[in-house]
Each structure stands twice: as structure tokens, then as C-alpha cells.
Amino acid sequence: MRSSGVPAVSDSRSPSGRAMVIAGYLTVVAAVALLGGLTGRQLPNGMSTGDVVRTALAAHKLSRLVTKGTVTTPVRAPFTRPTGDGGPGEVVEQPRHGDGVAHSIGELLSCPFCFDVWLITALTVGQVFAPRITRTVTDAAAALTGADFLHLVYAAAQQIAEGEFTTGGDD
């Protein structure tokens, strides 16, 4: 992990696993497009600014829940191994397998940036095939993002009030 929080890309791995994951993604997108065409579904005309903000907040929260959440560790366990603690309610994991498709799935399930592409695709598909449910999930996840942020702000305010918070500079 680089200091920016963005996972470093390893060039020493065979690209076959990643190619298979990309092929799987493209197959799902093609199948959904075909199903949409066969059922006469239309893409939405566009998203309002509010929709974009809600979707971004929801994707952020859902992606972190899937890729970092303590509660979702069993889902990732076949593909990842724990390497430390993350933020509140989060763990840090790395792919379990050395190479191939299982390793690439481990990368996908341990990297919120990587998982976002899949998640945004799923939310877009949801807007086409199940817009009311998708909007409800998106709104709820966006609200959860706001609640998480408020928990962190409250905890920081408590530390400041109790004199425990330091900026790291000299007084």
C-alpha cells in the first residue's frame, strides 16, 4: 500500500487472471445489454446532480462495506487474508492466492477503487431494471455514508473537548 492509500499495482503477476475477470465483467455487461434490448428497456435520460451525488456516496459506502467491512470478511475469506486493522469497523486484507483468477478476485474484493467499477455498473443496471429498489438502496447507503461521517466528526469533537486531540505540531 502506498502512502496515498491507493494500492500499488504489482507488475510481476501474470495478466491471465485479470484478463479473465475483465472478460467476466464484459460478458455480464453484454448479457445485460442484450436482455435490455430484448425486453425493450431504455437507459435513463441522465442523472441529476443530486442523483450523481447520492450514487457517489452510496457507491463509496457499499464499496467500503464489501471490500473493507469487518462484517463482510466471510465473503472475502476464500480470496483474501487479513493483514491488519483499517478504519472503524474495517480490516485491511490482501489477495490470498499468488496468481490467476482467484488472486484477481482477491484484488477486486480488497480494493474499494477496483470494486467501484463493478458496483457502479450494478447500480446502473438497477436503474434500468429495478429503478425504485435501486433508488431506495442508493438513498439508504448515501444516508449511511453521512451517518458514518457524523460519527467520525463527533468522535473528533469529543477528543478535542477532552484535550486528547493533537495536530502533531509543536505548541
Side-chain angles (χ1 to χ4, degrees), residues 98-157:
D99 206 357
V101 175
H103 178 85
S104 294
I105 292 171
E107 286 180 325
L108 183 66
L109 292 178
S110 61
C111 173
F113 298 95
C114 306
F115 192 76
D116 274 343
V117 174
W118 291 73
L119 183 58
I120 293 293
T121 300
L123 292 173
T124 302
V125 169
Q127 286 294 335
V128 173
F129 289 97
R132 289 183 67 189
I133 293 169
T134 303
R135 180 66 181 257
T136 300
V137 168
T138 303
D139 287 350
L144 186 55
T145 302
D148 284 354
F149 177 75
L150 292 174
H151 286 300
L152 294 172
V153 169
Y154 184 85

Side-chain angles (χ1 to χ4, degrees), residues 64-78:
R64 292 206 66 89
L65 178 63
V66 169
T67 64
K68 301 286 184 191
T70 304
V71 72
T72 53
T73 299
V75 174
R76 296 185 306 273

Side-chain angles (χ1 to χ4, degrees), residues 1-128:
M1 187 75 77
R2 286 185 264 164
S3 62
S4 67
V6 178
V9 176
S10 171
D11 294 327
S12 64
R13 305 227 187 277
S14 163
S16 65
R18 289 184 182 130
M20 292 297 292
V21 170
I22 291 168
Y25 174 83
L26 293 174
T27 300
V28 168
V29 169
V32 167
L34 180 62
L35 181 62
L38 292 174
T39 60
R41 301 286 179 155
Q42 298 292 316
L43 291 174
N45 289 330
M47 296 173 76
S48 69
T49 302
D51 289 337
V52 171
V53 170
R54 272 191 304 279
T55 301
L57 291 170
H60 167 78
K61 181 58 189 174
L62 294 171
S63 182
R64 292 206 66 89
L65 178 63
V66 169
T67 64
K68 301 286 184 191
T70 304
V71 72
T72 53
T73 299
V75 174
R76 296 185 306 273
F79 305 101
T80 63
R81 61 180 173 77
T83 58
D85 292 327
E90 293 187 346
V91 296
V92 177
E93 296 173 326
Q94 290 184 342
R96 179 179 295 276
H97 304 283
D99 206 357
V101 175
H103 178 85
S104 294
I105 292 171
E107 286 180 325
L108 183 66
L109 292 178
S110 61
C111 173
F113 298 95
C114 306
F115 192 76
D116 274 343
V117 174
W118 291 73
L119 183 58
I120 293 293
T121 300
L123 292 173
T124 302
V125 169
Q127 286 294 335
V128 173

